[in-house]
Amino acid sequence: MLQKTPLYQQHIAAGAKCVDFFGWEMPLHYGSQLEEHHFVRRDAGVFDVSHMTGVDITGADAEDYLRFILANDVGRLRTPGRALYSCLLTEAGGILDDLIVYYLAPEHYRIIFNSATRLRVLAWVKLQKKGFDVTTKACEGQAILAVQGPQAIAKVTQILPDCAEQINALRPFHSLQHNNWLIARTGYTGEDGVEIMLPASDAADFWEALLSKGVKPCGLGARDTLRLEAGLNLSGTDMDENTTPLESNLAWTIAWQPEDREFIGRWALQTEREGGVKKKLVGILLDGKGVLRDGQKIFFADGDEGEITSGGFSPTLGKGIGFARVPLPLSQACEVELRAGRRQAVQLVKVPFVRNGQTVFEPLVMQLKEDEEKK
Amino acid sequence: MSKIPNELKYTASHEWLREDDGTVTIGITDNAQSLLGDLVFVDLPEVGAQLTAGGDAGVVESVKAASDIYSPVTGEVVEVNEALNDSPEQINRDPYGEGWLFRLKLSDNTELDKLLDAKAYTAQVEEGESH
């Protein structure tokens, strides 16, 4: 029996085509995922992401505990309300999951992570508590909605006039709490917007209010093409326990400083960095006709091979795009095998492909040159 | 439930066929477009190409998957729906109308008798949905 979010009836009423998403019956689209994608880039869409898991971390050692289990450093969150993206690593530096950690109040943090790894991560955070004065408790009875797009803030503030001013003033990765709602200026689309965690009992009314303001319901299909264009990884697909942040275009999420902060995976990452990172996650763009797909192979002129971790179609560019893990050092010329025996040239690019409605990608060769100059 | 017009003929691989006066028009069914999701590219045969019943005729590609198109009958391609190159979404919107793929001049009228009628195709779709 699949789990349903508090908004399941609303999805059915909106014409959702649902699929089994890691044990949850979730909307794939409500008719056309392409239209939903464009709507988020041009106006505002709402995604039900209540299948994600929230865990509250409280106690005198909450900060120390999170500084130990996360590769990014919550010590950087100086004031309540701030939030941070981080990977949760194994001792070997592999990525258990990625998450956002919210600093809610002194000695009170919340992490929100993916549904695919729910049990594994819940067990992991419990296991690591040893020696820390912390309590971890999964959030119950909550819904999570992401309202995304250039008009998202305007529409949300019309519905929530009491805190409109505060929402307007929120900077990216800042959050506020209002009547048991957590409202954060974060997202997974490359557009402006908010992610809101609210009591399940409030969810249907808020959903209806959004729809009445012209916000369009969007499913997992559009969520995937939006995040691909935005250059955002999908945990479990683009990275997992067998890959590290250094191999996943996430070096920026590792807080190496201060040197004396011990965190799980630090030693492994340091060793990998000193030995020279062997692989890299890059953006790829197909110039010709076709759609890139997960698992397709990339062939380089020098005999090296890479593999597409996420492939798809970019509605904004009208082209096949994706991420591929490729061996270093890179040579530019490469081809993808679209189908057995059918190869086509692809470009390696620096992600994101699209940000705030605009095409922004650059050929990767420029980035490699920049890296060289920094050395 | 997807639309399955009575007057058309069908294949097990989800193509439809409409007879008009010695030529036949071919497309993919409403059920097929719904399973594929938003279509983003089509590869159509060339005008003048000889297709054989059950043989490759092209490819349609959606956000979800690429799917081969098979010709339901043997014949020569007399026209292809060029508009689909720019607007493949016509197939999603109107699979039996503006979303047609190509037209053939039939080589052998008796091949039409081997195709499924609406009733048989409906039964196949329902069988598929129960799995």
Side-chain angles (χ1 to χ4, degrees):
Chain A
M1 179 74 183
L2 294 176
Q3 295 192 75
K4 296 181 170 101
T5 78
L7 290 166
Y8 180 74
Q9 291 308 326
Q10 279 69 26
H11 298 319
I12 298 306
K17 182 178 179 202
C18 289
V19 290
D20 175 357
F21 187 73
F22 298 104
W24 290 80
E25 190 160 358
M26 298 300 289
L28 178 64
H29 60 72
Y30 301 81
S32 166
Q33 74 175 69
L34 286 181
E35 281 172 25
E36 291 161 24
H37 178 109
H38 290 308
F39 208 77
V40 170
R41 290 267 177 258
R42 292 166 192 164
D43 196 331
V46 56
F47 302 83
D48 179 9
V49 288
S50 305
H51 59 300
M52 295 181 78
T53 308
V55 172
D56 277 338
I57 293 146
T58 51
D61 291 341
E63 180 181 347
D64 288 345
Y65 164 75
L66 287 167
R67 293 189 78 205
F68 175 65
I69 66 165
L70 299 180
N72 210 337
D73 185 0
V74 298
R76 294 174 174 182
L77 303 176
R78 304 216 186 276
T79 49
R82 302 212 34 197
L84 186 77
Y85 172 82
S86 181
C87 288
L88 186 68
L89 302 179
T90 64
E91 289 289 350
I95 300 170
L96 276 168
D97 203 359
D98 63 347
L99 53 82
I100 292 182
V101 54
Y102 299 87
Y103 181 23
L104 298 182
E107 300 183 3
H108 186 185
Y109 294 80
R110 178 173 297 164
I111 57 174
I112 297 183
F113 55 92
N114 296 292
S115 58
T117 47
R118 180 186 162 94
L119 294 176
R120 178 93 169 95
V121 172
L122 285 175
W124 181 263
V125 296
K126 216 175 222 179
L127 188 73
Q128 304 304 335
K129 278 196 308 196
K130 213 173 157 193
F132 291 99
D133 177 12
V134 287
T135 305
T136 56
K137 189 172 175 294
C139 300
E140 302 282 349
Q142 301 281 308
I144 310 177
L145 292 177
V147 190
Q148 302 277 298
Q151 295 302 316
I153 299 290
K155 295 196 167 164
V156 168
T157 51
Q158 282 173 37
I159 299 165
L160 304 172
D162 289 357
C163 54
E165 210 170 305
Q166 283 171 281
I167 294 172
N168 275 317
L170 276 182
R171 284 182 284 144
F173 279 86
H174 283 64
S175 68
L176 64 91
Q177 292 167 78
H178 179 81
N179 294 342
N180 292 322
W181 291 29
L182 175 65
I183 303 173
R185 199 136 187 180
T186 52
Y188 194 47
T189 60
E191 297 297 326
D192 192 8
V194 283
E195 291 177 302
I196 300 178
M197 192 173 200
L198 69 171
S201 53
D202 293 344
D205 285 349
F206 183 54
W207 173 272
E208 299 297 349
L210 287 166
L211 267 52
S212 73
K213 295 285 177 202
V215 177
K216 201 178 168 105
C218 298
L220 292 172
R223 188 168 161 83
D224 193 52
T225 51
L226 287 159
R227 68 95 193 168
L228 255 186
E229 286 187 347
L232 300 169
N233 291 359
L234 176 61
S235 179
T237 299
D238 301 308
M239 54 201 195
D240 58 25
E241 285 187 47
N242 300 312
T243 51
T244 71
L246 296 171
E247 299 159 349
S248 306
N249 201 23
L250 292 176
W252 64 275
T253 69
I254 306 165
W256 298 103
Q257 303 296 335
E259 298 267 353
D260 62 353
R261 181 176 70 104
E262 288 295 333
F263 64 85
I264 298 172
R266 178 172 193 130
W267 180 83
L269 294 184
Q270 219 150 305
T271 307
E272 184 184 14
R273 190 168 65 155
E274 281 157 16
V277 180
K278 305 281 192 296
K279 288 177 261 176
K280 185 177 176 72
L281 192 70
V282 299
I284 47 171
L285 174 70
L286 184 66
D287 276 321
K289 233 167 139 177
V291 180
L292 298 173
R293 309 282 180 193
D294 301 8
Q296 285 170 341
K297 285 226 152 80
I298 305 287
F299 297 92
F300 290 88
D302 61 6
D304 275 344
E305 287 182 18
E307 190 178 303
I308 295 183
T309 57
S310 284
F313 174 76
S314 161
T316 306
L317 306 180
K319 289 181 173 181
I321 62 168
F323 305 151
R325 188 163 278 106
V326 294
L328 291 172
L330 280 183
S331 59
Q332 268 296 99
C334 56
E335 293 181 315
V336 63
E337 188 164 74
L338 286 176
R339 314 176 83 179
R342 193 177 151 223
R343 290 189 186 183
Q344 210 166 311
V346 280
Q347 266 188 66
L348 301 186
V349 303
K350 180 181 177 182
V351 295
F353 295 95
V354 179
R355 260 295 145 89
N356 296 321
Q358 304 298 315
T359 301
V360 292
F361 67 88
E362 293 170 358
L364 192 66
V365 66
M366 290 169 71
Q367 188 194 4
L368 294 177
K369 239 185 242 162
E370 276 169 30
D371 292 349
E372 204 56 44
E373 279 160 15
K374 274 183 207 150
K375 283 179 196 161
Chain B
M1 184 65 205
S2 55
K3 286 187 219 102
I4 302 174
N6 261 325
E7 68 277 17
L8 304 182
K9 294 200 177 302
Y10 300 89
T11 66
S13 50
H14 306 285
E15 290 89 8
W16 57 261
L17 177 149
R18 178 184 289 120
E19 275 184 84
D20 335 86
D21 251 358
T23 66
V24 292
T25 304
I26 287 148
I28 64 168
T29 65
D30 189 29
N31 178 58
Q33 70 76 22
S34 160
L35 290 174
L36 283 164
D38 289 296
L39 288 157
V40 291
F41 291 116
V42 291
D43 263 329
L44 297 172
E46 308 249 324
V47 171
Q50 284 292 331
L51 302 183
T52 47
D56 284 335
V59 179
V60 291
E61 190 150 16
S62 76
V63 287
K64 202 161 105 187
S67 179
D68 290 314
I69 305 299
Y70 303 104
S71 184
V73 290
T74 303
E76 183 189 333
V77 180
V78 292
E79 193 180 355
V80 299
N81 188 357
E82 302 282 357
L84 297 179
N85 287 321
D86 290 327
S87 307
E89 69 276 7
Q90 286 183 8
I91 300 173
N92 295 112
R93 218 169 37 218
D94 189 9
Y96 300 112
E98 284 192 338
W100 67 279
L101 298 177
F102 56 91
R103 288 203 172 93
L104 290 182
K105 199 167 95 193
L106 262 183
S107 300
D108 177 1
N109 280 332
T110 65
E111 282 182 359
L112 294 175
D113 303 333
K114 297 176 194 153
L115 299 173
L116 305 174
D117 61 14
K119 201 175 151 201
Y121 180 66
T122 303
Q124 185 198 305
V125 169
E126 280 168 1
E127 170 81 359
E129 279 169 358
S130 68
H131 283 282

